[in-house]
Amino acid sequence: MANVLVIHGPNLNLLGSREPEVYGADTLDAINQNLSQMAQQNGVNLQTFQSNNEGEIVSCIQQAANNQVDFIIINPAAYTHTSVAIRDAFLATRIPFIETHLSNVYAREEFRMHSYLSDIALGVVSGFGKTSYLLALEAAVIHCKQSVKQRTE
Ligand code: DQA
């Protein structure tokens, strides 16, 4: 059974009330529930984590490597555009990950168009609201199945 971790960055705990015209009306709990349901249907062990603190996110990624996490889906939120520390944590652990955004960051302010993670991510999903997370999980499931197949061939 694949272990997938979903990390939500700063201010995403406010989803539902935070700029709903940009980020949608769903709460973080509702998104996590949707993800858990989809994970269960696909035989995936899913854990979720939210933090407003850069260092906690770095520690979470480091710990994931010790806890046999196979794949990470991360919405780094504002840290997307600022965090060398989160980039370095992914480079250090080599856990494959998908960068995920609710909004289309390329259709917004210029500073959101740069990401410290995109070039080292397996892929990026941006602009589909809560569906961005579900698409990322679908891709994660496919990736994990392919990895198992390759290992057993
Ligand atoms: C976000 C986009 C970021 O630019 C922003 O700072 C966020 C949320 C998104 O999901 O669309 O907090 O990652």
Side-chain angles (χ1 to χ4, degrees):
M1 192 184 253
N3 294 315
V4 175
L5 171 66
V6 181
I7 301 177
H8 305 282
N11 297 306
L12 295 173
N13 54 314
L14 301 179
L15 286 179
S17 61
R18 174 193 181 201
E19 299 180 85
E21 66 289 357
V22 179
Y23 298 116
D26 289 294
T27 62
L28 192 61
D29 272 355
I31 291 173
N32 284 339
Q33 268 172 35
N34 276 203
L35 285 167
S36 294
Q37 220 171 14
M38 188 174 162
Q40 218 174 4
Q41 285 159 3
N42 286 280
V44 165
N45 177 31
L46 186 106
Q47 283 184 331
T48 63
F49 176 77
Q50 190 277 328
S51 176
N52 294 324
N53 184 306
E54 186 178 20
E56 279 179 13
I57 294 173
V58 168
S59 297
C60 178
I61 296 165
Q62 289 183 9
Q63 243 166 30
N66 298 330
N67 293 343
Q68 275 77 50
V69 167
D70 300 296
F71 204 94
I72 292 179
I73 293 166
I74 183 167
N75 182 347
Y79 291 140
T80 308
H81 320 296
T82 63
S83 182
V84 176
I86 293 176
R87 177 188 178 88
D88 283 349
F90 279 116
L91 288 173
T93 59
R94 296 172 181 271
I95 300 173
F97 71 97
I98 295 177
E99 176 186 332
T100 305
H101 302 282
L102 294 146
S103 65
N104 178 356
V105 287
Y106 299 102
R108 300 184 62 193
E109 302 97 318
E110 208 178 324
F111 70 84
R112 294 188 205 272
M113 291 181 199
H114 177 257
S115 164
Y116 276 98
L117 298 177
S118 298
D119 66 308
I120 58 164
L122 201 66
V124 180
V125 187
S126 182
F128 300 99
K130 122 180 133 176
T131 306
S132 290
Y133 284 102
L134 299 173
L135 291 169
L137 183 54
E138 191 178 342
V141 168
I142 292 168
H143 177 86
C144 290
K145 279 186 187 154
Q146 278 171 353
S147 303
V148 170
K149 208 173 146 213
Q150 272 164 14
R151 276 202 301 268
T152 53
E153 266 169 12

PDB file of all heavy atoms in Angstrom, residues 10-12 18 23 75-78 80-81 100-103 105 108 112, ligand 1:
ATOM      1  N   PRO A  10       0.966  27.807   4.411  1.00  0.00           N
ATOM      2  CA  PRO A  10       0.373  28.868   5.224  1.00  0.00           C
ATOM      3  C   PRO A  10      -0.936  29.440   4.658  1.00  0.00           C
ATOM      4  O   PRO A  10      -1.096  29.551   3.443  1.00  0.00           O
ATOM      5  CB  PRO A  10       1.458  29.951   5.245  1.00  0.00           C
ATOM      6  CG  PRO A  10       2.330  29.657   4.075  1.00  0.00           C
ATOM      7  CD  PRO A  10       2.297  28.178   3.897  1.00  0.00           C
ATOM      8  N   ASN A  11      -1.817  29.744   5.583  1.00  0.00           N
ATOM      9  CA  ASN A  11      -3.120  30.369   5.316  1.00  0.00           C
ATOM     10  C   ASN A  11      -4.143  29.422   4.696  1.00  0.00           C
ATOM     11  O   ASN A  11      -5.301  29.802   4.514  1.00  0.00           O
ATOM     12  CB  ASN A  11      -2.983  31.629   4.431  1.00  0.00           C
ATOM     13  CG  ASN A  11      -2.171  32.703   5.117  1.00  0.00           C
ATOM     14  OD1 ASN A  11      -2.497  33.083   6.243  1.00  0.00           O
ATOM     15  ND2 ASN A  11      -1.105  33.164   4.488  1.00  0.00           N
ATOM     16  N   LEU A  12      -3.730  28.209   4.395  1.00  0.00           N
ATOM     17  CA  LEU A  12      -4.700  27.279   3.798  1.00  0.00           C
ATOM     18  C   LEU A  12      -5.656  26.728   4.859  1.00  0.00           C
ATOM     19  O   LEU A  12      -6.704  26.189   4.516  1.00  0.00           O
ATOM     20  CB  LEU A  12      -3.972  26.160   3.048  1.00  0.00           C
ATOM     21  CG  LEU A  12      -3.183  26.688   1.836  1.00  0.00           C
ATOM     22  CD1 LEU A  12      -2.340  25.583   1.203  1.00  0.00           C
ATOM     23  CD2 LEU A  12      -4.101  27.306   0.783  1.00  0.00           C
ATOM     24  N   ARG A  18     -11.305  32.419   3.263  1.00  0.00           N
ATOM     25  CA  ARG A  18     -10.214  33.216   2.689  1.00  0.00           C
ATOM     26  C   ARG A  18     -10.438  33.440   1.183  1.00  0.00           C
ATOM     27  O   ARG A  18     -10.399  32.478   0.399  1.00  0.00           O
ATOM     28  CB  ARG A  18      -8.888  32.468   2.889  1.00  0.00           C
ATOM     29  CG  ARG A  18      -7.711  33.120   2.228  1.00  0.00           C
ATOM     30  CD  ARG A  18      -6.505  32.203   2.190  1.00  0.00           C
ATOM     31  NE  ARG A  18      -5.385  32.869   1.579  1.00  0.00           N
ATOM     32  CZ  ARG A  18      -4.338  32.269   1.038  1.00  0.00           C
ATOM     33  NH1 ARG A  18      -4.264  30.956   1.059  1.00  0.00           N
ATOM     34  NH2 ARG A  18      -3.376  32.962   0.487  1.00  0.00           N
ATOM     35  N   TYR A  23     -10.042  31.212  -4.093  1.00  0.00           N
ATOM     36  CA  TYR A  23      -9.688  29.872  -3.622  1.00  0.00           C
ATOM     37  C   TYR A  23     -10.875  28.923  -3.462  1.00  0.00           C
ATOM     38  O   TYR A  23     -10.695  27.760  -3.095  1.00  0.00           O
ATOM     39  CB  TYR A  23      -8.931  29.979  -2.290  1.00  0.00           C
ATOM     40  CG  TYR A  23      -7.629  30.747  -2.438  1.00  0.00           C
ATOM     41  CD1 TYR A  23      -7.421  31.961  -1.787  1.00  0.00           C
ATOM     42  CD2 TYR A  23      -6.620  30.263  -3.268  1.00  0.00           C
ATOM     43  CE1 TYR A  23      -6.239  32.668  -1.939  1.00  0.00           C
ATOM     44  CE2 TYR A  23      -5.439  30.962  -3.434  1.00  0.00           C
ATOM     45  CZ  TYR A  23      -5.250  32.165  -2.766  1.00  0.00           C
ATOM     46  OH  TYR A  23      -4.072  32.853  -2.939  1.00  0.00           O
ATOM     47  N   ASN A  75       0.845  21.822  -1.450  1.00  0.00           N
ATOM     48  CA  ASN A  75       0.491  23.189  -1.828  1.00  0.00           C
ATOM     49  C   ASN A  75       1.304  24.080  -0.884  1.00  0.00           C
ATOM     50  O   ASN A  75       0.918  24.306   0.258  1.00  0.00           O
ATOM     51  CB  ASN A  75      -1.007  23.454  -1.664  1.00  0.00           C
ATOM     52  CG  ASN A  75      -1.358  24.870  -2.117  1.00  0.00           C
ATOM     53  OD1 ASN A  75      -0.469  25.698  -2.323  1.00  0.00           O
ATOM     54  ND2 ASN A  75      -2.654  25.149  -2.258  1.00  0.00           N
ATOM     55  N   PRO A  76       2.450  24.570  -1.348  1.00  0.00           N
ATOM     56  CA  PRO A  76       3.316  25.339  -0.461  1.00  0.00           C
ATOM     57  C   PRO A  76       2.786  26.748  -0.199  1.00  0.00           C
ATOM     58  O   PRO A  76       3.395  27.499   0.567  1.00  0.00           O
ATOM     59  CB  PRO A  76       4.641  25.408  -1.236  1.00  0.00           C
ATOM     60  CG  PRO A  76       4.448  24.594  -2.484  1.00  0.00           C
ATOM     61  CD  PRO A  76       2.995  24.446  -2.703  1.00  0.00           C
ATOM     62  N   ALA A  77       1.679  27.108  -0.859  1.00  0.00           N
ATOM     63  CA  ALA A  77       1.067  28.431  -0.701  1.00  0.00           C
ATOM     64  C   ALA A  77       2.127  29.514  -0.938  1.00  0.00           C
ATOM     65  O   ALA A  77       2.916  29.401  -1.870  1.00  0.00           O
ATOM     66  CB  ALA A  77       0.360  28.538   0.644  1.00  0.00           C
ATOM     67  N   ALA A  78       2.202  30.529  -0.077  1.00  0.00           N
ATOM     68  CA  ALA A  78       3.133  31.640  -0.332  1.00  0.00           C
ATOM     69  C   ALA A  78       4.598  31.187  -0.340  1.00  0.00           C
ATOM     70  O   ALA A  78       5.442  31.802  -1.010  1.00  0.00           O
ATOM     71  CB  ALA A  78       2.925  32.733   0.700  1.00  0.00           C
ATOM     72  N   THR A  80       5.801  28.826  -1.874  1.00  0.00           N
ATOM     73  CA  THR A  80       6.146  28.472  -3.258  1.00  0.00           C
ATOM     74  C   THR A  80       7.141  29.482  -3.822  1.00  0.00           C
ATOM     75  O   THR A  80       8.101  29.127  -4.503  1.00  0.00           O
ATOM     76  CB  THR A  80       4.874  28.555  -4.148  1.00  0.00           C
ATOM     77  OG1 THR A  80       3.834  27.794  -3.561  1.00  0.00           O
ATOM     78  CG2 THR A  80       5.160  28.094  -5.567  1.00  0.00           C
ATOM     79  N   HIS A  81       6.844  30.754  -3.523  1.00  0.00           N
ATOM     80  CA  HIS A  81       7.539  31.855  -4.193  1.00  0.00           C
ATOM     81  C   HIS A  81       8.748  32.363  -3.397  1.00  0.00           C
ATOM     82  O   HIS A  81       9.423  33.291  -3.836  1.00  0.00           O
ATOM     83  CB  HIS A  81       6.547  33.010  -4.426  1.00  0.00           C
ATOM     84  CG  HIS A  81       5.183  32.526  -4.851  1.00  0.00           C
ATOM     85  ND1 HIS A  81       4.985  31.858  -6.042  1.00  0.00           N
ATOM     86  CD2 HIS A  81       3.962  32.574  -4.247  1.00  0.00           C
ATOM     87  CE1 HIS A  81       3.698  31.531  -6.142  1.00  0.00           C
ATOM     88  NE2 HIS A  81       3.064  31.945  -5.068  1.00  0.00           N
ATOM     89  N   THR A 100       1.028  21.732  -6.052  1.00  0.00           N
ATOM     90  CA  THR A 100      -0.400  21.902  -6.322  1.00  0.00           C
ATOM     91  C   THR A 100      -0.889  23.278  -5.879  1.00  0.00           C
ATOM     92  O   THR A 100      -0.492  23.750  -4.806  1.00  0.00           O
ATOM     93  CB  THR A 100      -1.183  20.808  -5.555  1.00  0.00           C
ATOM     94  OG1 THR A 100      -0.652  19.541  -5.922  1.00  0.00           O
ATOM     95  CG2 THR A 100      -2.664  20.830  -5.874  1.00  0.00           C
ATOM     96  N   HIS A 101      -1.698  23.902  -6.705  1.00  0.00           N
ATOM     97  CA  HIS A 101      -2.309  25.186  -6.339  1.00  0.00           C
ATOM     98  C   HIS A 101      -3.786  25.185  -6.688  1.00  0.00           C
ATOM     99  O   HIS A 101      -4.180  24.675  -7.751  1.00  0.00           O
ATOM    100  CB  HIS A 101      -1.641  26.351  -7.078  1.00  0.00           C
ATOM    101  CG  HIS A 101      -0.173  26.442  -6.820  1.00  0.00           C
ATOM    102  ND1 HIS A 101       0.337  26.972  -5.654  1.00  0.00           N
ATOM    103  CD2 HIS A 101       0.887  26.042  -7.557  1.00  0.00           C
ATOM    104  CE1 HIS A 101       1.665  26.904  -5.695  1.00  0.00           C
ATOM    105  NE2 HIS A 101       2.020  26.339  -6.837  1.00  0.00           N
ATOM    106  N   LEU A 102      -4.563  25.810  -5.814  1.00  0.00           N
ATOM    107  CA  LEU A 102      -5.993  25.967  -6.097  1.00  0.00           C
ATOM    108  C   LEU A 102      -6.195  26.941  -7.253  1.00  0.00           C
ATOM    109  O   LEU A 102      -6.959  26.692  -8.182  1.00  0.00           O
ATOM    110  CB  LEU A 102      -6.703  26.504  -4.842  1.00  0.00           C
ATOM    111  CG  LEU A 102      -6.714  25.550  -3.646  1.00  0.00           C
ATOM    112  CD1 LEU A 102      -6.637  26.331  -2.350  1.00  0.00           C
ATOM    113  CD2 LEU A 102      -7.934  24.664  -3.683  1.00  0.00           C
ATOM    114  N   SER A 103      -5.509  28.084  -7.192  1.00  0.00           N
ATOM    115  CA  SER A 103      -5.662  29.114  -8.223  1.00  0.00           C
ATOM    116  C   SER A 103      -4.642  28.871  -9.339  1.00  0.00           C
ATOM    117  O   SER A 103      -3.676  28.124  -9.152  1.00  0.00           O
ATOM    118  CB  SER A 103      -5.446  30.501  -7.610  1.00  0.00           C
ATOM    119  OG  SER A 103      -4.106  30.638  -7.167  1.00  0.00           O
ATOM    120  N   VAL A 105      -1.720  30.148 -10.746  1.00  0.00           N
ATOM    121  CA  VAL A 105      -0.727  31.143 -10.317  1.00  0.00           C
ATOM    122  C   VAL A 105      -0.162  31.932 -11.503  1.00  0.00           C
ATOM    123  O   VAL A 105       0.367  33.032 -11.324  1.00  0.00           O
ATOM    124  CB  VAL A 105       0.436  30.501  -9.504  1.00  0.00           C
ATOM    125  CG1 VAL A 105      -0.027  30.105  -8.118  1.00  0.00           C
ATOM    126  CG2 VAL A 105       1.050  29.317 -10.222  1.00  0.00           C
ATOM    127  N   ARG A 108      -2.087  35.387 -12.302  1.00  0.00           N
ATOM    128  CA  ARG A 108      -2.198  36.318 -11.176  1.00  0.00           C
ATOM    129  C   ARG A 108      -1.012  37.293 -11.170  1.00  0.00           C
ATOM    130  O   ARG A 108      -0.433  37.581 -12.204  1.00  0.00           O
ATOM    131  CB  ARG A 108      -2.307  35.509  -9.874  1.00  0.00           C
ATOM    132  CG  ARG A 108      -3.533  34.581  -9.880  1.00  0.00           C
ATOM    133  CD  ARG A 108      -3.713  33.856  -8.579  1.00  0.00           C
ATOM    134  NE  ARG A 108      -3.931  34.785  -7.471  1.00  0.00           N
ATOM    135  CZ  ARG A 108      -3.869  34.429  -6.188  1.00  0.00           C
ATOM    136  NH1 ARG A 108      -3.611  33.180  -5.854  1.00  0.00           N
ATOM    137  NH2 ARG A 108      -4.075  35.322  -5.245  1.00  0.00           N
ATOM    138  N   ARG A 112       3.863  35.657  -8.319  1.00  0.00           N
ATOM    139  CA  ARG A 112       3.402  34.266  -8.146  1.00  0.00           C
ATOM    140  C   ARG A 112       3.855  33.365  -9.294  1.00  0.00           C
ATOM    141  O   ARG A 112       3.648  32.154  -9.267  1.00  0.00           O
ATOM    142  CB  ARG A 112       1.873  34.222  -8.023  1.00  0.00           C
ATOM    143  CG  ARG A 112       1.362  34.885  -6.776  1.00  0.00           C
ATOM    144  CD  ARG A 112      -0.122  34.662  -6.571  1.00  0.00           C
ATOM    145  NE  ARG A 112      -0.674  35.725  -5.761  1.00  0.00           N
ATOM    146  CZ  ARG A 112      -0.710  35.723  -4.431  1.00  0.00           C
ATOM    147  NH1 ARG A 112      -0.238  34.704  -3.755  1.00  0.00           N
ATOM    148  NH2 ARG A 112      -1.219  36.749  -3.773  1.00  0.00           N
TER     149      ARG A 112
HETATM  150  C1  DQA B   1      -1.793  29.179  -3.675  1.00  0.00           C
HETATM  151  C2  DQA B   1      -1.209  30.289  -4.568  1.00  0.00           C
HETATM  152  C3  DQA B   1      -0.141  31.068  -3.822  1.00  0.00           C
HETATM  153  O1  DQA B   1       0.399  32.085  -4.655  1.00  0.00           O
HETATM  154  C4  DQA B   1      -0.728  31.711  -2.588  1.00  0.00           C
HETATM  155  O2  DQA B   1       0.276  32.383  -1.852  1.00  0.00           O
HETATM  156  C5  DQA B   1      -1.479  30.781  -1.732  1.00  0.00           C
HETATM  157  C6  DQA B   1      -2.297  29.728  -2.353  1.00  0.00           C
HETATM  158  C7  DQA B   1      -2.963  28.446  -4.355  1.00  0.00           C
HETATM  159  O3  DQA B   1      -3.321  27.374  -3.880  1.00  0.00           O
HETATM  160  O4  DQA B   1      -3.531  28.937  -5.338  1.00  0.00           O
HETATM  161  O5  DQA B   1      -1.520  30.920  -0.512  1.00  0.00           O
HETATM  162  O6  DQA B   1      -0.764  28.227  -3.444  1.00  0.00           O
END
